[in-house]
Amino acid sequence: MTTVRPVAPTEAVDDDVKFRADAVAALFVREWRVFRRVWRSLVFGSVVEPVVYLLAFGYGFGALIADVNGLPYLDFMATGAAGIGVLFTGFFPGFINGYFRRKENHLYGGLLSTPITVAELVTGEALWTGVRAAVTAAVTLTIAALFGVGLAPTVVLAPLIGLVGGFGFACLGAAFASRLRSTHQFDFVIAGVVVPMFVVAGSFFPLEDAPAWLRWPAQLNPVTHVVELFRAVAFAQTSLGGLAVSVTVVVGFVALAWWVAVRQLTRAMTA
């Protein structure tokens, strides 16, 4: 008679952080096929949102504010809108899809009954979301150019920033989704996490003029540094030191968010 040895929780977690490229690619393709069914509404939102920002903030506040940190206000907030677009495009699919696929539709249970691991699942879905965020950044800055924002040639790097940032925000959303027990808890995350990240990011107002107690948390906000990177590539006006800090914060955030998402989803699926 064969004795089955229980697997310790730490062993299960270690096994789940291993992943194969072909499994990640399969999950990526699955997300693409789902997107093909609903792309019209998603593309509509990606185009309309930056137009609303540019009209409401760029021309609204822009009539009252001349320059911000040496940039016309329209230029300043256009790159801020790109950063906010990456946050929303990345976080909400990871958060909302993550909850419903785990708790309501039990899709994750079906996927994880195959050889797919939690790390592959998180990576495949977040990678697709990162691609969507990259497109959102490109669309936002293209629309900004049509509105008269002068962009440097280095703006071609903006989709890469959107890809990396969107991947991280998708993982962050997935991590929070793994902790939720019902949809009634959505408001806690949105009001307590997303709104502060959205507001305190130097996207629509300069952080230099904010109180000291607000500037320090803002420097820990990954959205702040995604916005700074967009401004760096859009206008080629940044110091190497500031660029290095922003790159370090964003890369560190992405790595931490991925690790936390894998750990939290592993625990949620084995609870």
Side-chain angles (χ1 to χ4, degrees):
M1 179 175 179
T2 303
T3 302
V4 178
R5 182 178 64 87
V7 178
T10 54
E11 293 178 15
V13 170
D14 289 341
D15 183 62
D16 279 334
V17 298
K18 301 175 182 178
F19 62 94
R20 298 157 297 146
D22 58 340
V24 173
L27 288 161
F28 183 92
V29 171
R30 180 195 177 279
E31 292 298 306
W32 158 248
R33 289 176 176 172
V34 172
F35 173 79
R36 287 168 54 186
R37 301 178 182 177
V38 297
W39 69 271
R40 291 178 179 84
S41 60
L42 296 176
V43 170
F44 177 79
S46 298
V47 172
V48 170
E49 185 175 322
V51 170
V52 171
Y53 282 144
L54 290 164
L55 289 175
F57 290 94
Y59 289 107
F61 289 159
L64 305 174
I65 305 172
D67 294 331
V68 178
N69 294 342
L71 293 173
Y73 185 71
L74 181 63
D75 295 14
F76 180 85
M77 64 77 47
T79 44
I84 298 306
V86 169
L87 169 64
F88 288 172
T89 303
F91 185 89
F92 284 113
F95 180 62
I96 296 175
N97 290 346
Y99 171 79
F100 281 101
R101 291 175 178 181
R102 174 183 65 86
K103 190 75 174 178
E104 304 291 338
N105 301 334
H106 304 289
L107 175 63
Y108 285 172
L111 289 173
L112 294 175
S113 66
T114 70
I116 289 176
T117 67
V118 172
E120 293 164 351
L121 177 58
V122 170
T123 304
E125 291 193 346
L127 184 60
W128 167 253
T129 304
V131 170
R132 283 188 52 202
V135 174
T136 296
V139 169
T140 300
L141 293 174
T142 299
I143 293 173
L146 296 176
F147 273 76
V149 175
L151 301 173
T154 49
V155 76
V156 296
L157 297 173
L160 177 61
I161 299 169
L163 172 65
V164 176
F167 183 96
F169 292 131
C171 292
L172 182 65
F176 278 105
S178 299
R179 302 288 297 173
L180 298 184
R181 296 183 178 180
S182 73
T183 55
H184 298 293
Q185 296 177 311
F186 277 22
D187 288 343
F188 290 107
V189 177
I190 294 172
V193 178
V194 180
V195 172
M197 291 177 70
F198 163 60
V199 174
V200 188
S203 50
F204 300 127
F205 63 88
L207 294 173
E208 289 79 2
D209 298 332
W213 60 268
L214 193 60
R215 290 198 300 269
W216 284 106
Q219 292 306 314
L220 299 176
N221 182 2
V223 183
T224 300
H225 296 280
V226 168
V227 171
E228 288 299 320
L229 290 175
F230 277 133
R231 290 189 179 130
V233 300
F235 308 117
Q237 296 179 0
T238 189
S239 65
L240 290 178
L243 184 63
V245 169
S246 292
V247 169
T248 300
V249 171
V250 171
V251 171
F253 158 72
V254 170
L256 179 61
W258 180 87
W259 181 82
V260 172
V262 172
R263 304 288 286 196
Q264 291 299 326
L265 185 55
T266 298
R267 291 171 180 168
M269 296 304 299
T270 56

